[in-house]
Amino acid sequence: MNAATKKMLRALPSVASLLEHEEVVDWLSGSPRAYVVSSLQAAIDDAREAILAGDDEISIDSDDLVAEAEAYLLERSTPNLRGVINATGIVLHTGLGRAPLCEAAVEALAESIGGYCNLEYDLETGQRGKRQVHVAEHLAEITGAEAATVVNNNAAATLLILQTLAHGKEVVVSRGQLVEIGGSFRLPDIIRAAGVTLKEVGTTNRTRVSDYQEAICSDTAALVRVHTSNFRIEGFCESASIEEMVELAHRFELPVVDDLGSGALFDLKPLGLPDEPHVQASLDAGADLVCFSGDKLLGGPQCGIIVGRQDLIDLIEANPLMRTYRVGKLTLLALEATLRCYADRDQAPDLIPALTMLTATTGALAHRAETLAELLSQAFPGEHFFVGSDVAFAGGGALPARELTTVIVQWRPAGARASEIAAALREADIPVIARIRDEAICFDLRTIRDDDLEGLVDAVASVILDDDDEDEEEDEDPNDVSLPVL
Ligand SMILES: *Cc1c(COP(=O)(O)O)cnc(C)c1O
C-alpha cells in the first residue's frame, strides 16, 4: 500500500463525524437511526474499497459521502414487499402474487384488521367458535357441497387429504396426471410426503377407466384425479372422465379425490373463457372431495379450499396436521368478502378483478390501450408508442396453454436496448413489469388497471429522464416534462 492510499484511508470520515453533518441530522428526524448509520457505513465502505482498488479520484468529502449514503437510505426505507404494476398480461402471475383482491376484500381487511375480530368466537353464545365457519357456509352454498374447509394453499390441501384418507395405503393416479405445478410441488413427492404409496396407471397420453380398475386392491384408499392445470396433452390421448372414476370407485366403496388446482367455481365458458373443469361439475359428478386454490381462478387470497362429503371433511379437520396449515384472519376476511361476490353469479365477473381481466374484450382493451398510448405520446414526444394486438398466455397457474388475444402498447425505445429499459422500469418508484417482444417493450392492457396508468407514465418518465441525464450530462428538471394529469 503506497503512502497516498494510506493517507486517503486515514482521511476517510467516520460514521460518528458524518452523523453530525447538517443533512444527516435532518434524516434522523424522519428515519430510524439504525438505517441512517448503516447507510453512512455503506457509503464509507464503498469509498474504502475504491481507495484500496487504487482509485485516487474518489471523493472522500463529507458532502459527497452523505450524498452516496442518501441512495442507500432511500433503498433501506423502501419496503421490500410492495405493489408493482403488472404489465405482463399474465393475470394469475405467481411471481406477482396471483389474484389481485376484489374491492370488498380490501375494504373488509381495512375495516377489521387494525383491531380484533370474532375469528374463533361465537357472538351468539359467547363461547369459543370455529374459524372455518365464516367461509364454510358460503362455499357450500356456492358449490352445492355438503361441507367445506380451508387451509393455507392447495398444496397443503392435497397433502392433508392424502394424509387423512390414505396414510399407509395406496392411491391410484394416472401417469398423465403426475404433474409438477412449479416451485417444489410435484405430485409424486407430495404423495410420498403424506406417507402414501403411489400406484401409477395408464400411460402419459392414455389412461382408461379399466386401468384404474386393474390397480384397485385391498390396499387402495382412493382414486385421485389431478387437473393438468399448467400443460395440455394433445393428439392421441384419452383420460377417464370424473364420472367414470366415480362410478368405479363407488362400486369398491372408495372415495374419489379431485385436485382441480385452478378452481373455477362455475362454468366460465359462457364468459368466453376456455373450457376449464369447475368445482360444481366435479361435485355434481360425484367426486367425494374436491380441492383447489383460492388465489387462482376464484380470484381471492392465497389458500387451499377443500369441499365435499361432510364425514370426510370432519376427518380432515380432526387431523392434527390441520393445525399446521391453518389460515389466519387476514385470509379468512378476504376470502369471505370474495365469496360474497359470487352470491350473484352474473355479477362475479364484474366484481372479481381476476375474472374482469380474463374476460375483458379486445374492444375494451383496445380502447384503454389508445388512452395509454396517447398519454405516453403526449408526455414523451420523442418516443414512439404503438397500439397492437398480441396473443398471450393469460394464465400462470391456470388456463396455461390457452392463448388469449390481447392488446398491447408497444414501445421501441430510441437509442436503448429493450432489455435495459425493462430493467430500469423495474427500478421505478412503482416498479413496472413488462414483456419484451421483437426488441420492443410491451405493456399488456389486460393486467394494467386504470389506477396504474399514472404510475406507468411516471415510470417511463424516470427511465427516459435518467437516460437523457447520461446522454447530455446535464441535470434536467423532471418538471420540464409536462405529465398529463390523470
Ligand atoms: C396450483 C395447483 C396446486 C398448488 O396450489 P397452491 O395453491 O399453489 O399451493 C396443486 N394442484 C394443482 C392441480 C394446481 O393447479
Side-chain angles (χ1 to χ4, degrees):
M1 197 185 300
N2 65 31
T5 306
K6 275 190 193 154
K7 191 169 160 224
M8 274 183 90
L9 285 178
R10 240 176 306 162
L12 259 181
S14 66
V15 170
S17 70
L18 290 182
L19 276 169
E20 278 161 25
H21 190 282
E22 198 181 344
E23 206 172 315
V24 176
V25 171
D26 269 358
W27 294 352
L28 285 169
S29 61
S31 302
R33 189 182 168 85
Y35 289 4
V36 173
V37 168
S38 65
S39 302
L40 293 171
Q41 188 66 59
I44 295 170
D45 290 347
D46 285 351
R48 179 178 296 111
E49 251 174 61
I51 295 167
L52 286 172
D55 179 354
D56 49 13
E57 306 267 285
I58 184 95
S59 164
I60 54 170
D61 181 69
S62 293
D63 287 348
D64 290 335
L65 287 169
V66 166
E68 294 291 324
E70 189 172 16
Y72 281 110
L73 182 63
L74 188 67
E75 202 180 288
R76 278 170 176 62
S77 308
T78 308
N80 292 336
L81 182 59
R82 61 202 163 117
V84 303
I85 294 172
N86 177 4
T88 65
I90 300 173
V91 176
L92 300 167
H93 194 304
T94 302
L96 303 183
R98 289 201 188 149
L101 290 182
C102 62
E103 226 168 274
V106 173
E107 275 167 26
L109 287 169
E111 255 169 49
S112 313
I113 216 63
Y116 298 98
C117 65
N118 59 331
L119 180 63
E120 286 192 356
Y121 188 85
D122 187 329
L123 292 173
E124 222 169 277
T125 63
Q127 307 285 312
R128 178 85 178 245
K130 272 176 58 185
R131 66 179 62 205
Q132 309 282 349
V133 298
H134 307 293
V135 294
E137 258 174 44
H138 294 297
L139 283 165
E141 210 170 285
I142 297 166
T143 64
E146 235 173 68
T149 195
V150 183
V151 291
N152 248 321
N153 52 41
N154 191 35
T158 312
L159 187 124
L160 200 52
I161 291 172
L162 291 166
Q163 214 276 345
T164 307
L165 300 188
H167 185 80
K169 301 181 88 179
E170 282 181 10
V171 293
V172 187
V173 188
S174 160
R175 288 197 170 90
Q177 297 173 1
L178 292 171
V179 301
E180 169 170 322
I181 298 300
S184 55
F185 186 98
R186 287 180 152 191
L187 196 75
D189 297 341
I190 293 278
I191 293 175
R192 200 173 316 116
V196 175
T197 302
L198 165 64
K199 189 110 168 215
E200 301 175 24
V201 295
T203 61
T204 306
N205 57 328
R206 289 174 81 98
T207 303
R208 300 177 191 84
V209 72
S210 56
D211 294 323
Y212 288 94
Q213 179 153 9
E214 279 162 28
I216 292 176
C217 65
S218 59
D219 267 349
T220 308
L223 304 193
V224 177
R225 182 177 83 152
V226 184
H227 177 40
T228 53
S229 43
N230 56 357
F231 70 103
R232 207 164 26 152
I233 296 180
E234 274 180 60
F236 188 58
C237 53
E238 179 181 350
S239 59
S241 70
I242 190 82
E243 286 84 0
E244 289 173 310
M245 289 178 68
V246 165
E247 193 275 325
L248 170 69
H250 288 183
R251 252 196 288 141
F252 289 87
E253 293 184 1
L254 293 170
V256 170
V257 174
D258 195 7
D259 175 6
L260 270 187
S262 46
L265 282 185
F266 56 87
D267 190 2
L268 300 178
K269 218 161 56 179
L271 301 175
L273 287 180
D275 206 3
E276 217 7 58
H278 58 95
V279 178
Q280 203 167 26
S282 186
L283 289 169
D284 287 349
D288 299 274
L289 286 178
V290 181
C291 64
F292 50 98
S293 299
D295 53 353
K296 290 184 181 170
L297 286 175
L298 192 152
Q302 178 197 304
C303 60
I305 297 170
I306 308 171
V307 296
R309 263 165 56 189
Q310 181 78 57
D311 59 327
L312 300 181
I313 297 282
D314 288 345
L315 279 178
I316 288 168
E317 290 195 331
N319 187 328
L321 279 180
M322 180 78 185
R323 178 67 170 73
T324 66
Y325 298 123
R326 89 175 177 191
V327 285
K329 59 184 175 179
L330 277 74
T331 303
L332 289 167
L333 277 163
L335 181 60
E336 183 184 359
T338 307
L339 291 173
R340 281 182 183 275
C341 294
Y342 282 90
D344 188 343
R345 197 165 285 190
D346 295 337
Q347 284 189 353
D350 294 329
L351 300 176
I352 309 279
L355 293 182
T356 311
M357 290 175 182
L358 281 166
T359 57
T361 62
T362 46
L365 294 175
H367 184 72
R368 297 176 54 235
E370 296 289 350
T371 308
L372 176 61
E374 212 170 293
L375 286 175
L376 290 167
S377 303
Q378 271 171 22
F380 316 107
E383 300 282 334
H384 297 290
F385 302 93
F386 304 96
V387 173
S389 70
D390 197 6
V391 179
F393 298 106
L399 306 169
R402 324 291 170 116
E403 295 177 336
L404 290 182
T405 306
T406 190
V407 182
I408 55 177
V409 170
Q410 260 181 306
W411 172 31
R412 229 171 240 117
R417 294 190 61 91
S419 57
E420 284 161 10
I421 295 290
L425 287 169
R426 295 197 299 270
E427 284 183 15
D429 284 346
I430 304 177
V432 174
I433 321 296
R435 278 208 310 272
I436 298 179
R437 199 189 74 184
D438 306 334
E439 266 303 301
I441 302 280
C442 303
F443 300 122
D444 191 325
L445 273 295
R446 189 175 291 285
T447 47
I448 298 173
R449 305 164 310 154
D450 287 341
D451 287 351
D452 291 333
L453 293 180
E454 194 176 342
L456 204 154
V457 174
D458 285 350
V460 173
S462 71
V463 170
I464 290 179
L465 292 179
D466 250 16
D467 224 40
D468 289 352
D469 278 355
E470 276 165 29
D471 289 353
E472 296 159 26
E473 291 289 338
E474 67 180 31
D475 270 344
E476 215 164 313
D477 181 0
N479 298 323
D480 283 354
V481 174
S482 56
L483 290 183
V485 179
L486 296 164

